[in-house]
Amino acid sequence: MINRQLLKPESIVVIGGSNNTHKPGGAIVRNLISGGYQGQLRIVNPKEEEIQGIKAYHDAHDIPETELAILVVAARFCPDYVDMLAAEKGVRAFIIISAGFGEETKAGAELEQRILDTCERYGCALIGPNCIGMLNSWHHSVFTKPIPQLNPQGVDFISGSGATAVFILESAVIKGLQFRSVWSIGNGKQIGIEDVLQYMDDTFNPDTDSHVKLLYIENIANPDKLLFHAASLIRKGCRIAAIKAGSSESGSRAASSHTGAIASSDSAVEALFRKAGIVRCFSREELTTVGCIFMAINQHSTVSSPTGGKATGRRFSGNGREGATQHLKNFAIVTHAGGPGVMLTDALSKGGLNVPKIEGEAAEELKSKLFPGASVSNPIDILATGTPEQLSIAIDYCENRFDGIDAIFVIFGTPGLVTLYDAYDVLHQKILECRKPIFPILPSLHTAEAEVEDFLGKGHVNFSDEVTLATALTQIMRTPQPAPPEVELFGIDVPKIRSLIEKLPATEENGGYLPPDTVRELLSCARIPMVPEMVSGSKKELVAFADRIGYPVVAKVVGPIHKSDVGGVALNIRSAQHLQLEFQRMMNIPDATGVMVQKMLKGTELFIGAKYEQRFGHVVLCGLGGIFVEVLKDVSSGLAPLSYPEAYSMIQSLRGYKILQGTRGQQGINIQRFTEIIVRLSTLLRFATEIKEIDINPLLADAETITAVDARIRIEK
């Protein structure tokens, strides 16, 4: 639970406060004082009379009633302090900095549980244990530095790791990123990242609250809760970016199929973030860069007029990205150094963003106002000798004269020969005036340190590296909107799906893998087309079937899971005699129970699979088949049930997406049809949770149709 006493306490006691600011107890007191805490601050230290100018109590029993307690003492003492403070002193919020709890030993976990039980009994909020604390504009209850600049419209930052939170703050402060609150939840025994998001969602005020949330997550305890509240906040106009650390371990999963080999906890995280609309980041620099992009867009959205009027606090309504980043496609680059402009152009193009050529009368007009040798084709290179006035003119042309430009990058540093105050004053003014977002790239953090600090002090952010900025912007653009909660039911025979599942035997046979005819029935319930086939142990029946559907056909052994590994697949069978020979050979393969004959088709090989992940549900995977899935692992993931935009986003995120579109004279596939099949499969899984693994590989696709050639389904009832 999160209460007023945690967020805005009228009184605080630090148990273990110290005069030594190099220790957590001393640093906490220092930060509370320097942060301007206006309430009653009390310190408990058995050996000191005064702590940093504040009277010290030798015994916690002697303090008056207090609202928030910060504990910086050994773990073994914490449960008794919590008991006494809650029962006798009216404390209703605790921040426990101390380590040595459940993160270390079983005995520590028991201490932690005692604390939680007391907090639950008295209705107390609990942050920690094993954290660096929390800070907001009311109180700076952290023992670390840096303390970022606080702003009511700054970033809300929630971290599952105290040390990592510090490093992220270091990265953010250098960029000028401002914060509204910082939450280090530590072990998260009572209040985890999901709980903080829930509180922010339940109490969200679009006029006063931050519209940007940054998360560092080490454990997703409640995926449904995270999904619900993150998506809800984004629909209300917020933007959320997150790092999920520790997702590379695939655990002890049986790799009995492509899906089993590929699916991992990372796939589940990717799927969850995609469904929620969370921008996924993979490093501290990327996370803080994404945060700066969001803040730059927010700052742009508060400008009241293109003539430099005072900011009014107006924000985008509805979805936060809908009016901001989603329309950013075409960019102008204004630079006085050719190399960074070229590298930025390359990085944007790699991410599918455009730096369109600028030409025509307006371009020639701009060129006439610059020094000889300047280029205006985009990037607009005003040369190293370009003046602040020329910088202003170039930005004005991008803002008012060049059609189709959505945003402007400005690269402006110094070789150390000039000061940049005038140039950065121009940039400051243009950011306030322009309708189009401006992203400042000021790379001279050493030679122009004072000028950059002055610019950041006016409330701006800085992207010192143009490629990092382009990469982060690409990641934002690729993140879809939160998925709608409705399930796509069109064409799905849910009653028949349930009937088929319920008729299956309770005991698993053949490792839980369903026979081919049941697989076909289930896929047909979701209107997923399959190639004509017959399974039989009769050579005569299979030859008659092949004669009926026409040659060439494919023969596959039934029984062994990995057919290719045992020589159980024969392609391009063109006669009854050839089929009879292959039938005889396959029936001699160990564990063979029959042979499947299918019509042989041609087309681009695709792959769809799904695996049930505990707490997350079904993670659906898609990609190109063949080498792309087997070797390159070019797959993307989504969380069932999927919407059409989600499925389309999955397809678009594939490295081989251009192959699906058609390239080098080769015909593309029916992407709309592929999207539909992915959505239908996810809906099937939504109503058949007994399916723990499904593998459709390959599907053969052309410009018109997509047909499943081989499929396996494993269930647990």
Side-chain angles (χ1 to χ4, degrees):
M1 59 176 296
I2 296 173
N3 55 23
R4 180 197 59 78
Q5 291 89 340
L6 177 65
L7 299 175
K8 292 186 175 182
E10 297 295 337
S11 52
I12 298 176
V13 60
V14 180
I15 309 292
S18 169
N19 280 312
N20 186 347
T21 57
H22 296 292
K23 291 184 176 181
I28 284 270
V29 176
R30 175 200 64 204
N31 289 343
L32 282 166
I33 294 172
S34 62
Y37 175 62
Q38 297 297 306
Q40 293 295 316
L41 181 57
R42 295 152 186 153
I43 316 293
V44 173
N45 184 306
K47 299 179 180 179
E48 301 285 349
E49 299 298 324
E50 188 176 274
I51 300 295
Q52 299 181 45
I54 299 174
K55 173 192 172 182
Y57 293 85
H58 291 174
D59 192 321
H61 287 90
D62 298 332
I63 68 170
E65 285 201 355
T66 305
E67 293 190 341
L68 167 65
I70 304 171
L71 273 58
V72 201
V73 294
R76 66 182 184 276
F77 300 125
C78 288
D80 289 338
Y81 270 120
V82 172
D83 285 343
M84 187 276 293
L85 291 167
E88 300 179 19
K89 302 301 177 182
V91 172
R92 290 298 176 263
F94 291 91
I95 298 175
I96 301 182
I97 306 297
S98 316
F101 291 91
E103 79 280 1
E104 291 189 7
T105 65
K106 182 178 179 180
E110 292 172 354
L111 294 175
E112 198 169 354
Q113 188 61 46
R114 277 187 56 195
I115 292 170
L116 178 63
D117 291 343
T118 300
C119 287
E120 296 298 314
R121 184 164 62 252
Y122 288 96
C124 303
L126 171 63
I127 294 290
N130 185 31
C131 68
I132 65 169
M134 66 172 291
L135 71 86
N136 57 27
S137 60
W138 193 267
H139 64 108
H140 295 185
S141 297
V142 294
F143 69 87
T144 56
K145 288 185 175 181
I147 301 294
Q149 186 173 348
L150 296 179
N151 183 327
Q153 297 299 328
V155 171
D156 286 320
F157 172 43
I158 315 166
S159 176
S161 164
T164 306
V166 173
F167 301 147
I168 290 172
L169 289 173
E170 291 273 9
S171 172
V173 166
I174 292 172
K175 297 179 178 69
L177 188 59
Q178 299 180 0
F179 289 77
R180 178 175 179 263
S181 66
V182 175
W183 301 68
S184 166
I185 56 110
N187 293 357
K189 189 65 177 178
Q190 183 199 74
I191 299 173
I193 289 177
E194 300 94 331
D195 301 294
V196 180
L197 278 180
Q198 178 181 2
Y199 177 82
M200 291 178 177
D201 182 24
D202 292 344
T203 62
F204 183 70
N205 183 328
D207 296 323
T208 60
D209 290 351
S210 170
H211 284 60
V212 178
K213 321 292 181 188
L214 301 183
L215 315 176
Y216 174 80
I217 306 171
E218 291 189 340
N219 176 53
I220 301 177
N222 191 330
D224 286 341
K225 193 172 186 177
L226 178 66
L227 169 62
F228 180 87
H229 292 291
S232 176
L233 281 165
I234 293 170
R235 291 190 187 100
K236 291 174 180 177
C238 291
R239 304 176 178 92
I240 302 179
I243 296 172
K244 170 61 177 76
S247 297
S248 59
E249 232 2 273
S250 61
S252 57
R253 296 173 178 83
S256 59
S257 67
H258 293 301
T259 303
I262 295 168
S264 66
S265 57
D266 189 65
S267 303
V269 170
E270 184 76 23
L272 177 66
F273 283 15
R274 185 189 305 278
K275 183 173 284 291
I278 297 172
V279 178
R280 189 175 188 188
C281 301
F282 296 90
S283 71
R284 301 191 303 271
E285 281 299 302
E286 189 176 3
L287 181 69
T288 55
T289 300
V290 168
C292 286
I293 293 172
F294 287 159
M295 293 307 296
I297 294 295
N298 276 1
Q299 184 181 40
H300 163 71
S301 74
T302 62
V303 176
S304 60
S305 76
T307 57
K310 186 178 179 181
T312 64
R314 175 178 60 85
R315 311 187 70 86
F316 288 115
S317 60
N319 183 278
R321 290 192 306 275
E322 194 168 55
T325 51
Q326 286 298 324
H327 77 284
L328 301 182
K329 182 70 173 176
N330 298 313
F331 297 88
I333 301 172
V334 179
T335 179
H336 70 163
V342 173
M343 287 190 288
L344 178 56
T345 301
D346 289 344
L348 291 169
S349 298
K350 183 179 179 181
L353 305 176
N354 298 328
V355 181
K357 185 177 182 180
I358 295 175
E359 54 188 348
E361 182 180 344
E364 293 302 317
E365 188 178 298
L366 171 60
K367 191 171 184 179
S368 70
K369 298 177 185 294
L370 305 176
F371 289 137
S375 170
V376 298
S377 60
N378 203 16
I380 299 167
D381 187 352
I382 66 173
L383 304 178
T385 53
T387 66
E389 181 184 9
Q390 289 172 330
L391 173 63
S392 176
I393 292 169
I395 294 173
D396 284 342
Y397 270 76
C398 294
E399 168 75 2
N400 300 310
R401 300 294 302 279
F402 299 147
D403 295 332
I405 297 298
D406 301 318
I408 307 164
F409 295 100
V410 176
I411 305 173
F412 216 96
T414 175
L417 301 176
V418 295
T419 58
L420 295 177
Y421 287 109
D422 289 344
Y424 291 173
D425 281 344
V426 166
L427 188 53
H428 162 69
Q429 197 61 37
K430 293 302 177 186
I431 290 174
L432 296 182
E433 293 175 359
C434 289
R435 299 181 305 274
K436 298 173 183 176
I438 297 176
F439 298 97
I441 302 168
L442 315 180
S444 302
L445 300 181
H446 179 69
T447 55
E449 180 180 6
E451 294 97 319
V452 172
E453 285 295 325
D454 180 71
F455 178 79
L456 297 182
K458 295 173 181 175
H460 302 298
V461 294
N462 173 36
F463 306 92
S464 60
D465 183 81
E466 60 280 348
V467 175
T468 302
L469 169 58
T471 302
L473 187 58
T474 299
Q475 193 71 354
I476 292 172
M477 300 299 291
R478 287 178 175 173
T479 303
Q481 307 296 317
E486 298 81 12
V487 179
E488 299 284 354
L489 289 174
F490 181 73
I492 309 297
D493 192 341
V494 175
K496 188 173 181 181
I497 290 171
R498 291 310 311 160
S499 175
L500 287 168
I501 293 292
E502 288 163 7
K503 288 178 181 177
L504 295 173
T507 57
E508 295 179 20
E509 299 176 0
N510 192 30
Y513 281 92
L514 299 180
D517 57 339
T518 307
V519 171
R520 290 183 70 87
E521 284 189 273
L522 281 170
L523 294 184
S524 69
C525 291
R527 295 177 60 194
I528 297 175
M530 293 198 71
V531 64
E533 69 179 29
M534 171 180 278
V535 176
S536 178
S538 165
K539 184 192 308 181
K540 183 177 180 181
E541 285 184 355
L542 292 175
V543 170
F545 175 73
D547 289 339
R548 187 166 65 253
I549 64 172
Y551 292 93
V553 296
V554 178
K556 302 176 183 179
V557 68
V558 176
I561 294 174
H562 297 288
K563 301 176 177 64
S564 298
D565 293 349
V566 295
V569 178
L571 306 176
N572 205 28
I573 298 173
R574 295 184 171 275
S575 67
Q577 183 179 11
H578 186 185
L579 177 58
Q580 291 171 1
L581 291 172
E582 291 294 350
F583 174 86
Q584 201 66 41
R585 180 182 67 81
M586 290 182 185
M587 290 302 292
N588 289 324
I589 294 174
D591 299 324
T593 60
V595 172
M596 175 190 294
V597 171
Q598 296 175 325
K599 177 70 176 176
M600 185 165 177
L601 303 176
K602 292 183 179 180
T604 301
E605 290 191 6
L606 305 175
F607 159 79
I608 305 177
K611 186 174 177 64
Y612 187 83
E613 289 281 339
Q614 287 294 332
R615 297 183 293 119
F616 287 85
H618 284 102
V619 178
V620 180
L621 305 174
C622 77
L624 277 78
I627 189 173
F628 290 94
V629 64
E630 293 176 1
V631 179
L632 302 181
K633 303 293 190 291
D634 182 18
V635 297
S636 61
S637 58
L639 202 60
L642 294 165
S643 65
Y644 284 96
E646 276 183 284
Y648 184 56
S649 171
M650 290 168 61
I651 297 169
Q652 280 185 305
S653 67
L654 295 169
R655 296 193 300 275
Y657 177 60
K658 289 186 178 180
I659 296 174
L660 301 182
Q661 289 180 302
T663 183
R664 293 190 175 232
Q666 292 187 348
Q667 193 176 40
I669 72 159
N670 188 332
I671 293 178
Q672 180 178 349
R673 182 67 176 141
F674 192 24
T675 304
E676 291 173 358
I677 290 175
I678 295 170
V679 171
R680 287 175 180 168
L681 177 67
S682 78
T683 304
L684 164 66
L685 297 168
R686 168 65 179 81
F687 294 100
T689 55
E690 295 87 349
I691 295 176
K692 302 306 178 187
E693 194 172 317
I694 183 168
D695 192 69
I696 308 177
N697 185 36
L699 298 98
L700 292 178
D702 57 28
E704 299 297 330
T705 63
I706 298 179
T707 304
V709 174
D710 196 7
R712 282 174 290 187
I713 296 177
R714 184 176 66 83
I715 67 161
E716 293 177 11
K717 293 195 72 175

